[in-house]
Amino acid sequence: MKFVYHIALFASLASTALGASQFFGLNYNPKRPDGSCPNVYQVQGDLKVLRPYTNRLRIYSVHDCNQGEPVLRAMENTDWKVELGLWVNKNDAVFEADKNELLRLTKYFNFAKQVSAVVVGSEAVYRKEQTAEQLAAKIRNVKQALANVGLASIPVTTSETWPTYYQTLIKEVDFVNMHGFPFWEGVSIDKANDKMFQHIYDLQAAAKGKKVVVGETGWPSAGDHYGAAQTGMHNAQSYLQQFVCRAARENIEYYYFNSFDQNWASTNNASNVEGNWGIVKNDYVTPKFAEPIYSCK
């Protein structure tokens, strides 16, 4: 599918100045507030909203809703970069569909300019939908597939929670992409960032020199509490400030979770918080927090 787009809007996206509250990167799902699939114009609108905060995004699938194409098309002729995800679950046909779509997209877009990494799976081992050995084989498969089309320089990784990032995976990835949520450990807000950074340090030690990136972390602004972890706007902003400032001091790259509050997100976890992790409200326009969101002085 080919999209017609407006050069003027691309120029606007490219020239928008970064705001004060900058993030290394943000997680992003372009599905609309009602869960419907996006078109390129809607993604362009999202990028304009998010541009004051970052120019790096991560998506979780290129095949689901065929979202890879509108995201890459919306980023053409701008300075945006994206980590492209391939979804992995128990059904290997899902992975194969994502991989095939990824390879199709390499024919039409400048991956060397636009794509910062390919992420093979998100918490598939944690969900017990793949073994570490099965996921490692998929990582090797994607590396070879990219090499076959002249894109061996694109880093390939997987995202796992800190306790399920086994050596089998560390050996295969180009960098470690870890998820950590002290909220889901039931940790109180005053201890949350120390807990999170201890997980980072533990993985850095296990990675033996490979870069460790935080692929997801955050704190929900509403919903049920979880043990000593309490939701709320104050705690969400407190966790964000402490994490972002400490990550900057320690030169740790991260993709904060999440860009938008998303009402369609699953509520099948132990707490009904899934739609409340964004830095922008669920209209995909209104900032959740007043500026500056954080101050590292």
Side-chain angles (χ1 to χ4, degrees), residues 5 33 41 74 79 113 124 158 161 167 198 209 218 244 251 266-267 270 289:
Y5 54 92
Y41 303 110
D79 66 348
K113 179 178 183 294
T158 189
T161 60
Q167 284 294 332
Q198 188 58 57
V244 169
N251 296 314
S266 171
T267 58
F289 305 103

Side-chain angles (χ1 to χ4, degrees), residues 111-297:
F111 269 46
K113 179 178 183 294
Q114 293 179 262
V115 178
S116 55
V118 173
V119 184
V120 182
S122 181
E123 301 185 3
V125 174
Y126 169 76
R127 294 192 306 272
K128 299 182 179 180
E129 294 177 346
Q130 295 278 299
T131 66
E133 291 73 19
Q134 289 171 324
L135 186 55
K138 289 177 171 60
I139 294 166
R140 291 192 296 271
N141 182 294
V142 171
K143 284 185 174 183
Q144 186 60 57
L146 288 172
N148 289 346
V149 294
L151 292 171
S153 62
I154 302 289
V156 179
T157 187
T158 189
S159 287
E160 278 295 332
T161 60
W162 55 270
T164 52
Y165 223 117
Y166 301 122
Q167 284 294 332
T168 302
L169 299 175
I170 292 172
K171 177 183 175 182
E172 298 297 340
V173 298
D174 292 315
F175 65 91
V176 173
N177 204 43
M178 66 162 285
H179 293 179
F181 289 94
F183 177 84
W184 288 121
E185 297 180 69
V187 177
S188 61
I189 190 64
D190 59 308
K191 300 176 181 177
N193 262 274
D194 283 343
K195 174 68 75 171
M196 178 64 192
F197 276 83
Q198 188 58 57
H199 297 327
I200 295 171
Y201 302 150
D202 289 345
L203 260 183
Q204 286 175 332
K208 299 176 182 177
K210 281 191 179 178
K211 181 169 68 174
V212 173
V213 175
V214 176
E216 285 185 6
T217 196
W219 198 275
S221 59
D224 292 340
H225 306 319
Y226 191 72
Q230 297 193 354
T231 61
M233 288 285 290
H234 176 78
N235 283 354
Q237 190 166 8
S238 175
Y239 182 84
L240 185 158
Q241 162 141 338
Q242 292 179 55
F243 175 82
V244 169
C245 292
R246 189 165 170 178
R249 289 195 304 270
E250 300 189 20
N251 296 314
I252 293 171
E253 297 176 7
Y254 64 89
Y255 286 75
Y256 204 78
F257 190 83
N258 201 6
S259 295
F260 301 126
D261 280 354
Q262 296 180 310
N263 288 343
W264 55 264
S266 171
T267 58
N268 294 327
N269 283 305
S271 183
N272 63 343
V273 301
E274 289 307 295
N276 301 303
W277 298 82
I279 63 168
V280 176
K281 293 182 178 180
N282 59 24
D283 61 1
Y284 288 27
V285 174
T286 308
K288 183 186 288 185
F289 305 103
E291 286 287 355
I293 300 177
Y294 64 85
S295 174
C296 297
K297 294 180 181 178

Side-chain angles (χ1 to χ4, degrees), residues 72-86:
L72 287 167
R73 187 71 68 193
M75 289 181 174
E76 280 187 318
N77 302 318
T78 74
D79 66 348
W80 280 98
K81 299 278 190 179
V82 63
E83 289 188 345
L84 296 178
L86 310 184

